[in-house]
Amino acid sequence: MIIDAHSHVHDPVEAHLGLLDEAGVDRAVLFATRPHPERAGDLASLRREMAILDEAIGGRAGTIERYRGAWRELDAALAARPDRFIGFLSVPLDLEPEQIAATVEREVVGRGLHGIGELTPPPGRAAMIEPVLQAAADCGRLPVVVHGFAPTTADDLTTLSKLAKRYPAVPLVVSQLGGLNWMQAVELVRDTPNMYLELSTATIVFAVRLAIKEIPDRTLFGSDAPYGDPVLTRTLVERVTSPGEVRDRVLGGTIAALAGLG
């Protein structure tokens, strides 16, 4: 089974399904989102959507009510095609630890979702995710996905590796290959057994090749659609791997195990 380990709700959902079909992708991990760049028809409208993205990845996602709007979109997509989408849910990081625990129990476990993410702590404050890791550990070792591209910093990646070591039973996924800090991300993930590296948004081909070579059992094919394209990102993984067990794990086997798909 080919699984895209990183994608966001599209408007309309049929556009996303078309991309997956074109790429020969069976299923996709689906994150809730407030920005919808796929709606933009010109530069001005794209700027508006990207301004919302800047708020989100800068840790300024807003109140839980703003989250709920994105959650409703996620629910609709999952209900429309439960055979294609694997639901993960982000949670507000500015809540008290007991509120985060209750939110994970109610909104993730209670709704039958498969993991938590994509978390977007403010730059320099990756430690804010610790209550989420505790909640994930308490709720059955749920996988947790954290935004890895800018504005995530090199210090943030180091913080994530330290936190992962405190919660060794929780799979912690750094997305987007750690952005421009990809070499550091590869090293940290390689040396932290419960960390994983998702490969979308790679800026250079050999970054993907080296990441898979260093951590073949903990690298994940992902597109970050609609920002990336499943056809291109799958092709890149296949370009730098040979047919066989490693490619199969990267293209779906590893995320299937993390998400509890059997």
Side-chain angles (χ1 to χ4, degrees):
M1 182 178 292
I2 307 299
I3 302 175
D4 182 343
H6 187 134
S7 70
H8 299 271
V9 175
H10 285 47
D11 180 23
V13 68
E14 290 76 15
H16 192 181
L17 294 169
L19 291 174
L20 297 178
D21 290 343
E22 187 179 2
V25 172
D26 299 295
R27 303 189 71 180
V29 169
L30 196 62
F31 303 130
T33 183
R34 288 195 302 117
H36 282 284
E38 73 279 7
R39 293 173 178 163
D42 54 32
L43 185 58
S45 56
L46 180 60
R47 285 188 184 278
R48 288 193 293 271
E49 297 296 337
M50 296 304 282
I52 300 171
L53 175 65
D54 287 343
E55 286 185 352
I57 63 176
R60 305 185 304 279
T63 66
I64 195 168
E65 289 307 315
R66 297 176 77 178
Y67 274 82
R68 291 191 189 280
W71 291 351
R72 285 191 290 271
E73 289 185 344
L74 177 65
D75 284 343
L78 294 174
R81 292 304 301 265
D83 59 322
R84 301 300 297 276
F85 295 131
I86 303 160
F88 276 50
L89 196 76
S90 187
V91 299
L93 297 177
D94 57 357
L95 301 176
E96 294 298 322
E98 61 271 16
Q99 292 175 300
I100 288 176
T103 300
V104 170
E105 178 69 33
R106 181 181 64 251
E107 304 291 350
V108 180
V109 178
R111 294 158 70 182
L113 301 182
H114 293 265
I116 302 170
E118 180 187 15
L119 301 180
T120 54
R125 300 182 63 191
M128 289 181 69
I129 76 161
E130 183 164 11
V132 179
L133 296 177
Q134 181 64 65
D138 293 341
C139 289
R141 305 177 180 179
L142 292 168
V144 176
V145 181
V146 184
H147 181 81
F149 207 85
T152 300
T153 68
D155 287 344
D156 285 327
L157 295 176
T158 298
T159 297
L160 292 175
S161 70
K162 292 177 180 177
L163 289 173
K165 291 171 183 175
R166 293 181 197 168
Y167 300 89
V170 176
L172 179 58
V173 181
V174 174
S175 67
Q176 296 123 345
L177 229 169
L180 298 181
N181 300 303
W182 67 269
M183 284 190 283
Q184 179 189 7
V186 170
E187 291 173 341
L188 290 170
V189 171
R190 181 195 62 198
D191 297 338
T192 311
N194 59 314
M195 288 185 78
Y196 296 75
L197 192 59
E198 184 268 312
L199 300 170
S200 66
T201 325
T203 55
I204 46 181
V205 172
F206 60 75
V208 176
R209 178 184 294 114
L210 290 176
I212 294 172
K213 181 178 180 180
E214 291 288 332
I215 36 178
D217 56 340
R218 289 183 284 123
T219 39
L220 311 172
F221 151 62
S223 69
D224 200 6
Y227 305 95
D229 187 300
V231 171
L232 299 179
T233 48
R234 178 179 176 178
T235 299
L236 175 53
V237 169
E238 293 179 337
R239 178 68 173 168
V240 302
T241 60
S242 300
E245 182 181 355
V246 169
R247 178 188 285 180
D248 291 346
R249 286 202 300 262
V250 175
L251 287 178
T254 298
I255 188 60
L258 293 182
L261 301 182

